[in-house]
Amino acid sequence: MNSTITNALTVTNALTVDVEEYYHAIIFREATEGRTDGLESRVEASIERILALLAFHDAKATFFILGQVAAAHPAMIRKIAGEGHEIACHGYHHELVSRQTPQEFRADIHDAKALLEDITGERVLGYRAPNFSIGHDQAWAYDILLEEGFRYDSSVYPILHDRYGDRDSPRFPYEVRRNEHGGLVEVPIGTTRLLGVNLPTGGGGYFRLLPLALIRRGIKRVNTSEGQPIVFYFHPWELDPDQPRPSMRWRHRFRHYVGLEKEEAKLSRLLRDFRFGTIQRIFAIP
């Protein structure tokens, strides 16, 4: 093992999983115009593979779980928690925050948080918006998150993107809101700073599309040169190349399905080369 990787291993990065079905993905829903009735649930098999992978590499993760998934698979949620992983909230209906009123948003996160806490018997401290959909115009959501008992949010990807992201946001955790209910920490998705530009090294579609060597180099750069952990994310359906493939335009098909066949092997290599833990422990969320 070379010295760069050895130095990177002194930093524990945050591994996160957005637990939803393949048909909850925004691209899939757009491509099928929301026609998802009758599609089979496949999330349990993917979660089993993920848990086995994490156990093999002695890694822990934060699972941002969709309320609809938790309601349909409560035993799966208890198993995730029972293996020492953090349970966090991904909302209930996988609706973009930008498409909700403040009242609708409050109801959505309240119901999801209450369900997850009832299933696991543990406090839920973290939230991640579907498709990172808390932007400048949705800053009102931070106050509601605090009022509903959340202590951190992980809905900002500080990159330039056609659908989400804020390239001017801080790259590392910061307090985004404080009021009479306490403080709310924003925990951004991981990026590498190069030539004045934030490059995406935090997972998702970029991890499926880009060479593994490039992602590894970016994470090592942040760990060694800046001494900071990165936050990495993926979805269970990204480890499921056999999922249904209904007819859709090529641009939707490419964005949803590219790299699925290699995702599990790439993820295993990443878990071998870096240390990973939960957001709550790495960033000492009270």
Side-chain angles (χ1 to χ4, degrees):
M1 183 178 293
N2 65 47
S3 59
T4 303
I5 293 179
T6 301
N7 291 336
L9 285 175
T10 64
V11 176
T12 301
N13 297 289
L15 185 66
T16 66
V17 187
D18 291 359
V19 181
E20 61 194 56
E21 297 277 6
Y22 61 97
Y23 52 75
H24 288 130
I26 299 298
I27 292 294
F28 191 98
R29 289 166 60 186
E30 286 184 359
T32 59
E33 298 180 345
R35 296 188 297 270
T36 58
D37 292 343
L39 292 175
E40 63 175 323
S41 170
R42 297 178 64 88
V43 69
E44 284 196 349
S46 294
I47 289 294
E48 287 293 337
R49 289 200 296 274
I50 291 169
L51 291 177
L53 199 60
L54 297 181
F56 180 81
H57 291 283
D58 193 25
K60 299 300 180 186
T62 296
F63 287 73
F64 289 93
I65 298 172
L66 194 66
Q68 289 178 321
V69 171
H73 306 278
M76 180 183 76
I77 309 308
R78 284 189 287 269
K79 182 172 183 179
I80 295 171
E83 295 193 11
H85 303 290
E86 179 188 4
I87 301 297
C89 178
H90 198 36
Y92 200 96
H93 295 289
H94 208 264
E95 185 60 75
L96 300 180
V97 179
S98 55
R99 294 179 182 171
Q100 299 181 63
T101 65
Q103 295 76 22
E104 290 169 338
F105 176 71
R106 185 186 297 277
D108 185 80
I109 64 171
H110 177 88
D111 291 349
K113 187 175 190 289
L115 175 62
L116 292 170
E117 291 179 340
D118 182 61
I119 291 173
T120 65
E122 300 176 0
R123 290 176 63 209
V124 170
L125 302 179
Y127 172 78
R128 175 173 291 158
N131 219 48
F132 307 116
S133 55
I134 297 182
H136 291 293
D137 293 338
Q138 292 78 41
W140 48 261
Y142 296 129
D143 289 305
I144 296 175
L145 285 168
L146 269 174
E147 292 165 9
E148 292 296 327
F150 291 95
R151 288 297 170 259
Y152 74 86
D153 174 69
S154 185
S155 302
V156 173
Y157 205 159
I159 59 171
L160 179 63
H161 192 278
D162 65 335
R163 290 173 174 266
Y164 54 74
D166 182 357
R167 60 182 175 180
D168 297 321
S169 290
R171 294 173 51 235
F172 303 116
Y174 59 98
E175 189 172 81
V176 69
R177 184 71 89 248
R178 176 166 287 277
N179 60 27
E180 66 272 19
H181 299 280
L184 185 76
V185 176
E186 179 62 43
V187 184
I189 302 299
T191 58
T192 302
R193 186 78 172 170
L194 185 64
L195 300 177
V197 177
N198 294 344
L199 302 178
T201 52
Y206 291 109
F207 184 66
R208 290 186 276 119
L209 178 63
L210 298 174
L212 177 60
L214 190 62
I215 300 295
R216 291 170 69 246
R217 191 175 301 122
I219 296 174
K220 285 187 288 185
R221 180 185 176 91
V222 176
N223 290 170
T224 58
S225 299
E226 299 182 87
Q228 293 280 354
I230 65 104
V231 177
F232 188 92
Y233 85 102
F234 65 99
H235 304 87
W237 55 262
E238 292 180 291
L239 279 72
D240 182 16
D242 297 324
Q243 65 187 261
R245 302 195 178 205
S247 176
M248 59 181 68
R249 294 179 179 178
W250 73 266
R251 60 187 178 88
H252 291 115
R253 181 173 297 278
F254 177 80
R255 293 181 77 153
H256 186 81
Y257 296 107
V258 65
L260 295 185
E261 291 79 7
K262 298 180 179 179
E263 174 81 0
E264 188 167 355
K266 290 173 73 173
L267 186 59
S268 183
R269 288 282 303 278
L270 202 70
L271 292 171
R272 184 197 69 183
D273 292 341
F274 298 94
R275 292 170 54 185
F276 285 99
T278 70
I279 286 180
Q280 184 180 357
R281 291 182 181 177
I282 291 169
F283 300 110
I285 306 295

